Amino acid sequence: MSPISQPTSVAFNPYAENGGTILAIAGLDFAVVAGDTRQSEGYSIQTRYAPKVFRLTDKATLAVNGFAADGNIFVKTVKQRLEWYRHAHAKDMPLRAIARLIQTMLYAKRFFPYYVYNILGGIEEDGSGAVYSFDPVGSYEREACRAAGAASSLIQPFLDNQIYFKNQVAVSGTSHPKHLPILDVLSLVTDSFTSATERHIEVGDGLEIYVIVASGRSLTELSSIAGIEEVTGSASATDRVFVIRRELKKD
Amino acid sequence: MELNGGSVVAMVGKNCVAIASDLRLGNQALTIATNFEKTFPITDRIIIGLPGLATDVITLKERFRYRVNMYTIKEGREIEPETFAHLVSSTLYERRFGPFFVEPVIAGLTKPSEGSVPFIAGTDLIGCLTLPKDFVVSGTASDKLFGMAESLWEPDLGPEELFETISQTLMNAVDRDAFSGWGAVVHVITPDKVITRTLKGRMD
Amino acid sequence: MDHFPGTHWGKPRNDNIDAYGTYPLHAHQPRTDAFADGVQRTQQPVVTGASVLALKYKDGIMMAADNLASYGSLARFKDIQRASGDMADFQQLKHILDTLLIEQFVQDDGHKFGPTEIYEYLSRLMYGRRSKMDPLWNSLLVGGFKDGKSFLGYVDLLGTTYSAPTLRNWVWRYIAQPLLRKSVEGREDTLTEEEAVKILEGCMKVLFYRDARSLNKYQIAAVTEKGIWISDSRSVETEWAFAEGIRGYGAQTQ
């Protein structure tokens, strides 16, 4: 050390990591998109309720995770683009088009990226449940399930095992189901988050599960769920959106 | 830990314990061998898992063998799991400022006269012991193992159920880890025997 | 990799003998003025301002800030801001807000900014500046009351936003936030004004005892349906007799 210390400056870091985890699973004619509600920086919890899952249309919900400021701005911009689309075409943008829109928007900022992992869940034009997952610069693919964020490494292998039946062999003469019933999917989601809360400090406080149901599907199973709330936007919508809120441990 | 890769998990069941490791040995991203077991028997009722730097794995395996033999000769009896866990801890702490790069996992049953009680333990690379009631994970896939074990494990599993649980936990975790995998070996220790099975896994 | 092979006919580039070359492009950005080298962006806060505590209670929101570096607030409409961080940046922020509010006033179109609008504006401003890599080095607490609803929000130099029943900024989080959360969370709708003042007084006392950079002179502000109320500077009773017998505290007698 020299006796005269020079003034030093650290370059401004425009990013932060705000913890939390998101998860989405596609069914035959429904999709489930979930996220915890804790927002943190380092070891400090900033708030116990900052939603990470957003309804975009009556057939699409978007979960964002990573740098919260980027995430919120990104969701706002996507919503704005969807509104412009509505004004131009007098209908909601289809899910696969939203997916491509998100990839273009993310790649547009390739050299100053939105530090956000996106998972888009909803109903395709053919009525099938779909999940699209993205990396921060726009690489994307359609999948049956995906976990992202702080506890993704805890949850994703569990989903491989329970959704894709990886490392499981079906009884001879039978095969694994291609799509799981909605109540099974919801149990897997809650189990994933309670486990992640137990073992990851950035996950906890609250859980928000969005369920997007294709038109014509029976809603009897859903009506049995305590505290479920419908958040469908327009009265004429054929696909419907519900949200289930649950508490998670706060420590 | 990422130089050679590898993962170990141990779980408690009803009157039994299980311990399992993957079989990969790598040099960073390059796979060198696919038959590198990281679990080693200490007595008929104790098995230690040593994921980490392979050269230290072999050194420590030999050192524990030596120290347990000395214990057996001096005391004229077999070492107990808890005693062995402390032996592991103090052996590692001897190298506090130039540690062995391993994070051991210990699984065992107490002697039959004391009820064959399940025992598991884990330590960090300088010998800080943890003694959980449910499971211990270690190695390059430890976060994935935590996620799997936390959601699959339940209390009072019998030997066969415990075998299935620990196998699913390990296989699905290492399949999401680039540094672990290429099959696994699973030991279930029961009061009268040790059941050892080798599992085939994804080869990528 | 040479991305512009066509500009030099296959001859290796040499900037020493080719003053008119435009490659590499980034080395030839026009200087805006003679003082361009002297222009600096905020890299770290220079004059720092006070920290703030805020909580929600039955009638609205309440804040407390000590008078160490500054006091005063935008006593306009039914919301107030307190900020901590670089004072120059804060004053510019105040100036921008003032301009905005004057513009809105002269429009006289019946629309008035409430706390949510101010908060949205500030968060966009802060995020916009961070995206230009030229942040306003502050963290802001926006509290207000409009149409029977109280509002409390946080935004910082990165544009990170959130709201919660209790808020604080900078170092005070480690001391005051647990105290605030313990006494406020879940009771936002039942806390009375007296209780809220008491909670904040308790926090200020602990902060004065434990935070070397705090001052036992602070103000409390409340925003309710009735408008804004800001107290005069006040102090809390402190007790230092215990320090006598402890080495390192109080006067050194040993």
Side-chain angles (χ1 to χ4, degrees):
Chain A
M1 277 289 277
S2 69
I4 305 160
S5 59
Q6 294 290 314
T8 54
S9 70
V10 189
F12 170 63
N13 177 198
Y15 293 112
E17 173 74 63
N18 297 107
T21 264
I22 50 172
L23 154 65
I25 300 170
L28 180 65
D29 49 5
F30 66 90
V32 173
V33 184
D36 70 328
T37 64
R38 175 176 292 184
Q39 191 181 108
S40 57
E41 193 173 2
Y43 292 135
S44 289
I45 297 170
Q46 293 179 316
T47 178
R48 299 194 190 280
Y49 185 70
K52 281 191 274 288
V53 191
F54 302 89
R55 190 186 67 84
L56 297 177
T57 67
D58 287 327
K59 50 180 91 240
T61 54
L62 180 63
V64 289
N65 193 224
F67 174 35
D70 272 351
N72 290 327
I73 291 285
F74 186 72
V75 169
K76 261 178 202 159
T77 323
V78 172
K79 281 184 172 171
Q80 186 178 50
R81 292 288 294 269
L82 293 178
E83 191 173 333
W84 289 348
Y85 183 96
R86 233 175 349 256
H87 292 321
H89 299 95
K91 63 164 188 161
D92 278 334
M93 191 186 278
L95 194 71
R96 62 192 177 86
I98 301 178
R100 180 61 67 87
L101 170 74
I102 288 173
Q103 106 93 197
T104 333
M105 287 175 60
L106 289 170
Y107 196 79
K109 273 174 66 66
R110 169 64 180 78
F111 298 105
F112 186 19
Y114 289 114
Y115 185 47
V116 172
Y117 286 88
N118 284 284
I119 302 180
L120 176 71
I123 306 296
E124 293 280 24
E125 283 168 305
D126 66 359
S128 61
V131 163
Y132 290 90
S133 70
F134 302 79
D135 81 350
V137 286
S139 301
Y140 79 114
E141 90 181 291
R142 187 180 164 179
E143 294 177 295
C145 67
R146 171 60 66 185
S152 60
S153 62
L154 283 76
I155 297 176
Q156 191 65 49
F158 178 65
L159 297 181
D160 292 345
N161 188 220
Q162 300 291 317
I163 306 278
Y164 292 120
F165 295 102
K166 289 282 171 67
N167 291 298
Q168 287 192 264
V169 182
V171 175
S172 64
T174 65
S175 62
H176 290 307
K178 239 187 128 199
H179 297 286
L180 291 173
I182 196 161
L183 292 180
D184 291 16
V185 168
L186 290 171
S187 318
L188 289 174
V189 170
T190 21
D191 282 2
S192 298
F193 275 94
T194 42
S195 296
T197 304
E198 201 66 44
R199 291 291 177 179
H200 201 113
I201 55 168
E202 291 171 3
V203 182
D205 291 333
L207 171 60
E208 272 188 342
I209 310 170
Y210 278 72
V211 186
I212 312 97
V213 180
S215 59
R217 189 187 201 283
S218 155
L219 299 170
T220 44
E221 292 156 298
L222 284 179
S223 59
S224 68
I225 297 164
I228 191 166
E229 183 194 334
E230 179 155 9
V231 288
T232 314
S234 67
S236 60
T238 50
D239 303 316
R240 296 169 74 176
V241 189
F242 298 85
V243 62
I244 303 163
R245 295 193 172 85
R246 290 286 179 268
E247 291 287 301
L248 290 174
K249 284 170 71 176
K250 296 184 192 302
D251 54 5
Chain B
M1 302 295 161
E2 278 81 32
L3 185 68
N4 303 124
S7 300
V8 173
V9 55
M11 281 179 177
V12 168
K14 192 179 172 69
N15 303 116
C16 57
V17 283
I19 182 166
S21 85
D22 72 323
L23 295 178
R24 181 180 181 271
L25 173 96
N27 180 196
Q28 300 198 58
L30 174 68
T31 301
I32 301 293
T34 58
N35 59 352
F36 190 79
E37 291 187 23
K38 293 150 197 83
T39 51
F40 306 99
I42 297 300
T43 68
D44 290 346
R45 297 174 284 109
I46 304 172
I47 295 175
I48 186 170
L50 296 166
L53 189 70
T55 181
D56 289 347
V57 170
I58 292 158
T59 308
L60 278 173
K61 174 192 76 174
E62 300 293 349
R63 184 162 298 193
F64 291 140
R65 179 82 272 142
Y66 166 74
R67 292 200 164 177
V68 168
N69 285 347
M70 290 305 287
Y71 181 96
T72 319
I73 294 163
K74 280 181 183 161
E75 299 276 326
R77 61 190 169 95
E78 218 172 53
I79 197 167
E80 282 298 290
E82 196 173 344
T83 319
F84 178 64
H86 282 93
L87 185 147
V88 170
S89 171
S90 51
T91 306
L92 291 177
Y93 198 79
E94 278 178 6
R95 293 282 179 276
R96 171 63 179 78
F97 296 109
F100 292 113
F101 295 103
V102 285
E103 290 176 351
V105 168
I106 298 140
L109 293 177
T110 61
K111 60 187 168 198
S113 61
E114 285 184 11
S116 299
V117 183
F119 175 90
I120 54 163
T123 91
D124 66 4
L125 77 170
I126 52 168
C128 176
L129 272 175
T130 50
L131 305 157
K133 290 192 284 285
D134 40 17
F135 50 82
V136 197
V137 304
S138 181
T140 51
S142 60
D143 49 351
K144 290 117 183 159
L145 285 164
F146 267 129
M148 285 307 297
E150 190 65 59
S151 29
L152 294 189
W153 185 87
E154 45 190 279
D156 297 327
L157 293 166
E160 281 309 309
E161 300 166 304
L162 187 66
F163 166 75
E164 190 62 30
T165 308
I166 198 170
S167 303
Q168 290 293 338
T169 299
L170 186 73
M171 295 305 273
N172 289 286
V174 299
D175 284 352
R176 280 280 172 185
D177 183 29
F179 295 110
S180 308
W182 285 84
V185 59
V186 184
H187 310 276
V188 183
I189 309 171
T190 64
D192 46 315
K193 62 179 183 295
V194 178
I195 309 160
T196 299
R197 295 190 178 107
T198 309
L199 305 176
K200 262 190 182 176
R202 286 178 67 102
M203 296 187 281
D204 58 4
Chain C
M1 175 81 194
D2 186 352
H3 295 276
F4 298 93
T7 55
H8 48 79
W9 303 93
K11 188 184 70 173
R13 293 275 320 163
N14 187 335
D15 290 310
N16 295 323
I17 56 164
D18 186 4
Y20 300 100
T22 54
Y23 173 80
L25 293 176
H26 61 84
H28 293 272
Q29 274 179 8
R31 285 277 162 79
T32 44
D33 60 53
F35 297 101
D37 281 342
V39 174
Q40 279 187 17
R41 292 161 170 175
T42 305
Q43 298 291 315
Q44 57 213 308
V46 183
V47 184
T48 56
S51 300
V52 190
L53 302 174
L55 59 81
K56 273 188 176 178
Y57 71 108
K58 184 163 69 81
D59 308 323
I61 67 105
M62 198 176 278
M63 290 183 177
D66 73 13
N67 297 8
L68 192 57
S70 70
Y71 56 85
S73 65
L74 285 176
R76 280 239 174 111
F77 305 96
K78 288 188 172 182
D79 58 308
I80 62 166
Q81 295 81 39
R82 279 308 306 249
S84 81
D86 188 278
M87 285 312 287
D89 283 353
F90 177 55
Q91 282 163 5
Q92 192 190 358
L93 206 65
K94 258 170 63 170
H95 176 74
I96 293 171
L97 270 187
D98 275 334
T99 316
L100 182 79
L101 293 172
I102 291 167
E103 263 174 43
Q104 180 221 245
F105 178 75
V106 296
Q107 300 253 325
D108 196 24
D109 56 4
H111 292 291
K112 277 193 171 166
F113 289 127
T116 43
E117 288 77 22
I118 296 278
Y119 178 61
E120 186 69 28
Y121 182 86
L122 284 173
S123 58
R124 290 296 187 109
L125 182 75
M126 297 296 272
Y127 183 78
R129 288 291 294 263
R130 88 99 217 187
S131 298
K132 285 192 208 162
M133 292 296 279
D134 187 12
L136 292 168
W137 213 285
N138 303 106
S139 66
L140 314 169
L141 300 184
V142 181
F145 196 91
K146 199 186 178 189
D147 303 332
K149 277 197 181 123
S150 62
F151 176 87
L152 199 52
Y154 169 99
V155 57
D156 67 12
L157 75 166
L158 291 174
T160 312
T161 56
Y162 54 88
S163 45
T166 64
L167 292 175
R168 73 292 162 275
N169 40 25
W170 296 134
V171 291
W172 286 16
R173 65 177 173 234
Y174 300 112
I175 303 173
Q177 182 76 321
L179 296 169
L180 280 174
R181 282 197 181 147
K182 198 177 165 195
S183 38
V184 177
E185 261 178 29
R187 306 211 296 136
E188 301 89 345
D189 302 326
T190 52
L191 272 184
T192 65
E193 186 170 307
E194 293 73 46
E195 285 175 307
V197 170
K198 197 149 263 157
I199 289 166
L200 287 179
E201 274 175 353
C203 289
M204 296 310 285
K205 182 183 279 192
V206 174
L207 284 167
F208 177 58
Y209 275 130
R210 283 291 169 182
D211 180 7
R213 284 182 296 179
S214 71
L215 186 73
N216 192 11
K217 188 175 168 219
Y218 65 96
Q219 286 175 294
I220 285 182
V223 192
T224 64
E225 205 168 13
K226 284 174 248 161
I228 296 178
W229 162 80
I230 301 175
S231 78
D232 292 331
S233 290
R234 50 168 84 179
S235 307
V236 277
E237 286 279 314
T238 50
E239 165 64 53
W240 293 96
F242 70 92
E244 282 303 310
I246 302 173
R247 197 172 170 190
Y249 264 112
Q252 289 300 303
T253 52
Q254 38 189 327

